[in-house]
Amino acid sequence: MDIQEYFSLVFTDYTLRTITLGTAILGAVTGMLGSFAVLRKQSLLGDAISHAALPGIAISFLITGAKDSNTLLLGALVSGLIGTFWIRGIITKTHLKSDTALGLILSLFFGFGMLLLTFIQKQPNANQAGLDKYLFGQAATLVESDVWMMAIVTGICLFVLLLFWKEFKILLFDKDYAKTLGFNSKAIDILITSFIVLAIVLGLQTVGVVLMSAMLLAPAAAARQWTNSLAKMVFLAALFGAFSGVFGTAISASQNNLSTGPVIVIVAAVFVLISFVFSPSRGLLFKQIRFIKNRRDLELHKTLAFMYHIAETHENISHPHEIKILNNFHGFTKGTLKKLVEKNYVTLQGSTWCLTNEGFKSASNLYNQLTQQDE
Amino acid sequence: MGNTIAVQIDDLTVAYDYKPVLWDIDLEIPEGVLMAIVGPNGAGKSTLIKSILGILKPIAGTVTIYGKSYKEQRSLVAYVPQKGSVDWDFPTTALDVVMMGTYGSLGWIKRPRQKEKKAALEALEKVGMLPFKNRQISQLSGGQQQRIFLARALVQDASIYFMDEPFQGVDATTEIAIINILKELRKAGKTVIVVHHDLQTVPEYFDWVTFLNVKKIATGPVKDIFNDDNLTKTYGINYKVSIQE
């Protein structure tokens, strides 16, 4: 199947439609919530939470002996939440910094989860096969009820986000100030974190424990490059996330044996890369172009100012001067002289230059312009 | 001035760990003063403000605003935090930050509307930042960011203003603009409490002063108590300032 075939099948084929919808919704909700994680500088929290969910999956399998995805994800939710509150506890109750707390909980829970997984694999129970799909995810196992579940959680999440938009914003920007205004910052904090945990747990089946944090961070990081408004950033992150889901599924479905989760993550990373380079205001490319252009302008202005000071001393401003005297001056190149001629500021006669009236006027304005721009 | 007590602090003790940051502070701040809190680094100046505002929980002691707890009097109080306490690369505009000053009176869930926007624009005008209302906040200079924070507090239309180092890292023009606004607030009968670092300007800017170094050293009118004796007690070295008469 190639990509074209995929897009013609996606609306009719039940399995493809389910998987595509699932990954799109997942991408949207993680992108949306990921914006909050990124702005709170808790980018690694998602990674810790998803790893912390692993023992929950194993334990709930050990208790129920069934592989029903909802039961397993409930276990993941519980252990993810426990991990999160331990992280919070470590940060507030000890002198350890948040990166230490995150790393500690991440490796501890993940190690414990892996231990339980190997233990389960040694059990004489035919049912245990396939539990390790939660490590890297397997989108193909998504069924309609999973997608419904994702849609409902996303709906609730969107509703809460819109309802408490103002509260979320002020907490993200200035927590202490929000407190003085009477907002219960702890409650808002717990609300945001709980939703992040919920979104991560929902994605474990599709993307897996190891790569889940990328779903949270990549769309948000990409979105931040394009806008300076929080609302637009959240919207863009949801959009990038959803597109990553769809394109990732399309690529993995059209190439045999490509695992969906990693492909989605790579597509999201491509969004990040493009945003880092091509964003008009924050992108590296335009920054470099602006830098070069500004430097050229400055060289031009410096040369023009130098000429102005020489011309000033003569009664006739268009009195010709040797080009040689410019060589003493930093920033002068043949290129700048050529540009000045193009702009009709200077005329050349053999080895001499003379300032035109226009050039004299714009040079005398240079100083004023510079001081105005400063204000 | 001096009759009504705006802020009353009794036996306030605050500690981050085992070491007390503030020790047994008793302080009365009369209504209508423009007061500086001075003291060396680590003296607990910011901590004092944060404890009054309920951001930090003290180990012991009580704080009352016009005789009642802070929780009951929230609407009477506005706060200007240190500029460095937030991330200025946050995706928002100057106007949006000032609008946050209206969130308190709006309460939960309700969104700001035209009335709130108008108040925010007026506050921006007062601090001379109206032309920058749609600027992304990271593209403002340090002085402009400080003015945005001041405007956010002005929107709250409070009776008591707490400001944590509003003059830190601002140029002379902004400093004069800010002090003029503070003096206007005092003229309007408001109480303004400022954590301040530049001792030279205390007599010029303020009429009331509190010396703090973990303990309260002294508090009162600048003309009575701003002297070398109290400065030496607070800063621990022989301190001499020339007070311009």
Side-chain angles (χ1 to χ4, degrees), chain B residues 7 17 24 41 48 68 92 100 103 126 141 145 182 190 194-195 208 216:
Chain B
V7 182
D17 207 346
D24 201 18
N41 291 333
L48 178 63
K68 288 183 190 159
T92 191
M100 287 179 188
Y103 286 9
K126 253 183 231 166
S141 72
Q145 289 172 346
L182 301 194
K190 319 275 190 187
V194 180
V195 171
W208 209 265
K216 183 193 78 181

Side-chain angles (χ1 to χ4, degrees), chain A residues 39 41 95 161-167 169-170 172-174 176-177 179-184 187-188 224 227-230 233 282, chain B residues 17 50 53 55 70 74 79 81 86-87 89-92 96-97 100-101 103-104 106-112 136-137 149 152 156:
Chain A
L39 289 174
K41 303 189 174 50
H95 285 289
L161 202 67
L162 289 174
L163 198 64
F164 295 110
W165 179 256
K166 166 176 123 252
E167 285 76 12
K169 182 156 78 176
I170 195 169
L172 286 176
F173 179 62
D174 197 343
D176 280 355
Y177 184 70
K179 250 187 204 172
T180 67
L181 293 182
F183 293 106
N184 186 339
I188 309 171
R224 180 67 189 91
T227 176
N228 278 326
S229 138
L230 180 62
M233 176 179 166
R282 298 167 77 97
Chain B
D17 207 346
K50 285 184 180 172
L53 296 170
I55 298 169
Y70 175 73
R74 234 187 263 283
Y79 174 47
V86 302
D87 173 17
D89 196 38
F90 192 80
T92 191
D96 223 26
V97 172
M100 287 179 188
Y103 286 9
L106 282 168
W108 287 84
I109 295 170
K110 255 174 83 184
R111 296 290 181 91
Q136 208 277 320
I137 51 172
F149 259 15
R152 185 177 69 172
Q156 289 181 253

Side-chain angles (χ1 to χ4, degrees), chain A residues 17-33 142-158 198-200 202-203 206-207 212 215 219 237-247 249 264:
Chain A
R17 194 180 56 204
T18 311
I19 297 172
T20 308
L21 259 179
T23 50
I25 295 174
L26 179 71
V29 71
T30 50
M32 205 154 72
L33 290 164
L142 282 178
V143 291
E144 210 178 308
S145 65
D146 295 329
V147 176
W148 272 116
M149 186 74 165
M150 286 181 185
I152 291 167
V153 171
T154 307
I156 297 172
C157 176
L158 196 64
L198 204 59
I200 285 171
L202 276 180
T206 317
V207 179
M212 197 49 219
M215 289 296 287
L239 205 66
F240 288 161
F243 272 118
S244 307
V246 173
F247 287 144
T249 311
I264 294 176

Side-chain angles (χ1 to χ4, degrees), chain A residues 239-271:
Chain A
L239 205 66
F240 288 161
F243 272 118
S244 307
V246 173
F247 287 144
T249 311
I251 292 167
S252 97
S254 51
Q255 313 291 326
N256 260 348
N257 288 331
L258 273 188
S259 174
T260 316
V263 178
I264 294 176
V265 169
I266 287 172
V267 172
V270 170
F271 273 111

Side-chain angles (χ1 to χ4, degrees), chain B residues 90-220:
Chain B
F90 192 80
T92 191
T93 60
L95 176 63
D96 223 26
V97 172
V98 178
M99 292 268 262
M100 287 179 188
T102 67
Y103 286 9
S105 58
L106 282 168
W108 287 84
I109 295 170
K110 255 174 83 184
R111 296 290 181 91
R113 296 184 184 280
Q114 280 309 313
K115 185 182 139 219
E116 282 77 23
K117 191 175 171 185
K118 204 175 142 241
L121 289 172
E122 275 168 21
L124 274 169
E125 168 100 77
K126 253 183 231 166
V127 298
M129 288 293 293
L130 198 54
F132 301 91
K133 65 179 160 121
N134 292 324
R135 273 275 177 98
Q136 208 277 320
I137 51 172
S138 66
Q139 281 153 22
L140 299 170
S141 72
Q144 290 171 333
Q145 289 172 346
Q146 190 65 62
R147 285 199 233 183
I148 292 297
F149 259 15
L150 185 61
R152 185 177 69 172
L154 291 178
V155 165
Q156 289 181 253
D157 194 22
S159 306
I160 308 174
Y161 290 80
F162 289 94
M163 307 190 181
D164 204 343
E165 301 201 22
F167 301 112
Q168 198 188 35
V170 306
D171 59 20
T173 329
T174 306
E175 180 154 338
I176 290 164
I178 292 176
I179 194 64
N180 283 339
I181 290 168
L182 301 194
K183 283 179 175 167
E184 258 174 52
L185 285 173
R186 178 183 52 188
K187 215 187 271 172
K190 319 275 190 187
T191 311
V192 185
I193 294 130
V194 180
V195 171
H196 194 57
H197 255 303
D198 182 12
L199 293 172
Q200 306 294 334
T201 51
V202 169
E204 187 189 336
Y205 290 172
F206 300 96
D207 54 22
W208 209 265
V209 64
T210 294
F211 291 94
L212 190 73
N213 191 355
V214 184
K215 295 174 187 176
K216 183 193 78 181
I217 311 293
T219 185

Side-chain angles (χ1 to χ4, degrees), chain A residues 53-64:
Chain A
L54 191 61
I57 293 170
I59 289 170
S60 71
F61 175 78
L62 281 175
I63 294 172
T64 62

